[in-house]
Amino acid sequence: MSEETRERRTGESWLAGLSRAPATKPGETYGVPGQGDTVVLTVATIAIILFIWWLVTFMGWIEPLFVPSPGAIVTKFFDLLDRGFTGTSLLEHVLISTARVFGAFLLACVIGIPLGLAMGMSPAIRGIFDPPIEFYRPIPPLAYLPLMIIWFGIGETSKVLLIFLSVFAPVALGARSGVKSAAIEQIHAAYSFGASRWKVMRHVILPAAMPEILTSMRIGIGFGWTTLVAAEMVAATKGIGYMVLSASQFLQTPVVIVGIIIIAAIAYAFDMLMRFVERKVVPWKGRV
């Protein structure tokens, strides 16, 4: 058998092996763990973390003042449900903070997404709004919190506005970046068929930008929850952020950890909701 024939047969065998490769389920990539494997790994990781936490506290390696046991956290949670904190029920604290964050988040999306799309399509609009957004974006909210108080007082306006500013920049810049995802060929084709600027925006640019927009919304809500504690530092008497800060002043570590877990749980639930929306609205994301 000649060397050329041997190489040809080897290549054919390799291609045949590829054709017999196991089919992947929808949403999976060959060689990458599927959804079921991911859930198992997630549950196992949480179980290991909880076990290490329990072991450290059970053995007394760290004082309860610094790291209370998981049982103490659960007990404190039900105590807060029953008695509340500083005369306010735990549910009311949660609802007030949630209203502040999601109110600011919705306002940032209503203003930031259209503005970001306009910045991506118009050099003039981008030249006007890009410098101020990029200027304040890296500034920590605590840095301009005093200005919010001086300009808008210590009421709800300054708190919501502080959270709004932390969410607005990533949402607007994400929408602006998403415009670049639209292929120029598709835009020219739409114009050649007589589509108006509005129809090109609605049927070409907006669908192409949706993955970036949804991702920026997920990032933005994270910044919103991060800023919540800073927003509730001033003249707040209710809210999860206020509860965490007030408890920390009196070294009530279990209350602090309960508040942190509640914030993380709400943020994680919203992130799961956004992932579900992504699968329904942009099912092609990551597959093209």
Side-chain angles (χ1 to χ4, degrees):
M1 182 184 298
S2 65
E3 184 177 350
E4 181 180 354
T5 303
R6 187 182 300 109
E7 290 179 355
R8 184 174 65 254
R9 290 188 177 181
T10 301
E12 291 173 352
S13 300
W14 181 73
L15 291 174
L18 285 180
S19 65
R20 292 192 299 268
T24 58
K25 297 178 182 180
E28 293 184 5
T29 304
Y30 179 61
V32 178
Q35 185 68 24
D37 298 329
T38 303
V39 172
V40 171
L41 290 173
T42 300
V43 173
T45 301
I46 294 175
I48 292 173
I49 292 174
L50 289 176
F51 174 75
I52 295 174
W53 181 7
W54 170 84
L55 181 64
V56 168
T57 55
F58 179 78
M59 298 300 294
W61 294 338
I62 300 179
E63 292 294 330
L65 175 64
F66 302 107
V67 181
S69 66
I73 300 302
V74 173
T75 301
K76 177 55 67 174
F77 172 73
F78 285 106
D79 181 65
L80 289 171
L81 279 179
D82 183 42
R83 300 182 182 182
F85 184 80
T86 62
T88 304
S89 67
L90 179 62
L91 179 60
E92 187 173 354
H93 282 298
V94 172
L95 291 178
I96 288 174
S97 291
T98 302
R100 287 168 178 161
V101 172
F102 284 103
F105 172 74
L106 292 176
L107 184 62
C109 290
V110 169
I111 299 176
I113 293 176
L115 179 61
L117 294 174
M119 290 168 61
M121 294 185 63
S122 171
I125 296 178
R126 182 166 61 251
I128 294 172
F129 290 99
D130 192 65
I133 293 176
E134 290 289 1
F135 173 78
Y136 94 84
R137 180 181 60 83
I139 301 176
L142 280 174
Y144 49 83
L145 175 60
L147 284 178
M148 297 295 102
I149 297 172
I150 293 172
W151 292 344
F152 302 100
I154 58 176
E156 287 297 311
T157 302
S158 59
K159 296 177 178 61
V160 174
L161 185 59
L162 187 71
I163 300 173
F164 164 80
L165 290 174
S166 68
V167 179
F168 174 76
V171 169
L173 296 179
R176 186 197 68 180
S177 177
V179 174
K180 299 178 182 179
S181 301
I184 191 65
E185 294 82 2
Q186 294 177 329
I187 297 175
H188 288 166
Y191 278 128
S192 66
F193 280 104
S196 63
R197 190 179 183 86
W198 165 248
K199 288 185 177 180
V200 171
M201 164 66 78
R202 179 182 176 185
H203 297 289
V204 179
I205 296 177
L206 185 58
M210 279 306 296
E212 291 276 358
I213 292 174
L214 292 173
T215 300
S216 67
M217 290 170 65
R218 290 172 55 190
I219 296 173
I221 194 66
F223 282 114
W225 283 109
T226 303
T227 311
L228 173 69
V229 178
E232 293 181 345
M233 285 179 62
V234 180
T237 57
K238 296 178 182 178
I240 295 297
Y242 158 77
M243 188 178 79
V244 170
L245 289 169
S246 179
S248 67
Q249 295 175 358
F250 297 97
L251 299 180
Q252 298 182 21
T253 311
V255 178
V256 175
I257 295 179
V258 168
I260 292 173
I261 292 175
I262 290 174
I263 291 175
I266 297 174
Y268 183 75
F270 181 78
D271 191 73
M272 291 295 101
L273 176 62
M274 291 300 298
R275 293 185 186 184
F276 174 78
V277 172
E278 280 186 349
R279 290 194 296 269
K280 296 298 181 182
V281 176
V282 287
W284 64 85
K285 182 181 179 181
R287 302 183 186 179
V288 294

